[in-house]
Amino acid sequence: MKVGNCMTEAVRVASPDQTLQEAAATMASLDAGVLPVGENDRLVGMITDRDIAIRGVAEGRGPEATIREVMSAEVRYCFDDEEVEDVLRKMGDLKIRRMPVISRDKQLVGIVSLGDLTMNGEAAQAGEALGGISQPGGMHSQMTH
């Protein structure tokens, strides 16, 4: 199965100049924990609820700080024509639960999550990916660095 067949297509894109409060309000209204960040028709980052809490609030930034200040600028993505198994393996290796999906002409066309993949009959592979994601030592590990 191709990722394009099981991704979430309606994607709200945030601007890097929006505030953390605006990002959090958008996430709340969408019941989502992540927003792609775009500028000049280009994907320039991702912001998660965790970014807001850890890189924002925990570091003393208030609700008026900009998304640019706390977003992850290194965007890991997949293509809509990639096989689900390959993307699940990539998500496990990278220790991420959600990934933007782009077309071969580099346009954002959706987001895929482990939940999307499990809801579409890929539960075994999603379980394996989650096992990889849940291994200690990732970027946000609670282990001493």
Side-chain angles (χ1 to χ4, degrees), residues 94-120:
L94 296 171
K95 300 187 184 312
I96 57 176
R97 296 172 190 263
R98 305 170 208 100
M99 184 176 276
V101 181
I102 64 171
S103 63
R104 290 291 173 177
D105 61 352
K106 303 284 183 154
Q107 296 299 308
L108 179 68
V109 295
I111 288 186
V112 69
S113 70
L114 288 178
D116 293 331
L117 299 173
T118 53
M119 295 300 291
N120 286 283

Side-chain angles (χ1 to χ4, degrees), residues 14-138:
S15 162
D17 297 321
Q18 285 182 283
T19 66
L20 298 184
Q21 183 175 11
E22 290 170 318
T26 299
M27 288 179 193
S29 72
L30 297 172
D31 191 26
V34 64
L35 291 172
V37 182
E39 187 172 48
N40 300 323
D41 201 30
R42 223 177 123 243
L43 191 59
V44 296
M46 297 289 284
I47 185 165
T48 66
D49 47 6
R50 182 172 174 79
D51 292 330
I52 293 170
I54 303 301
R55 294 185 195 155
V57 175
E59 292 186 9
R61 291 182 174 92
E64 295 306 314
T66 65
I67 290 173
R68 186 184 313 275
E69 294 176 58
V70 302
M71 72 181 193
S72 298
E74 185 176 351
V75 180
R76 305 297 184 141
Y77 59 87
C78 63
F79 292 103
D80 59 351
D81 61 356
E82 283 186 74
E83 293 292 331
V84 167
E85 296 82 12
D86 296 332
V87 173
L88 281 167
R89 192 172 13 268
K90 187 186 304 187
M91 291 171 82
D93 291 346
L94 296 171
K95 300 187 184 312
I96 57 176
R97 296 172 190 263
R98 305 170 208 100
M99 184 176 276
V101 181
I102 64 171
S103 63
R104 290 291 173 177
D105 61 352
K106 303 284 183 154
Q107 296 299 308
L108 179 68
V109 295
I111 288 186
V112 69
S113 70
L114 288 178
D116 293 331
L117 299 173
T118 53
M119 295 300 291
N120 286 283
E122 303 296 335
Q125 291 92 348
E128 290 174 22
L130 183 57
I133 291 166
S134 299
Q135 292 298 315

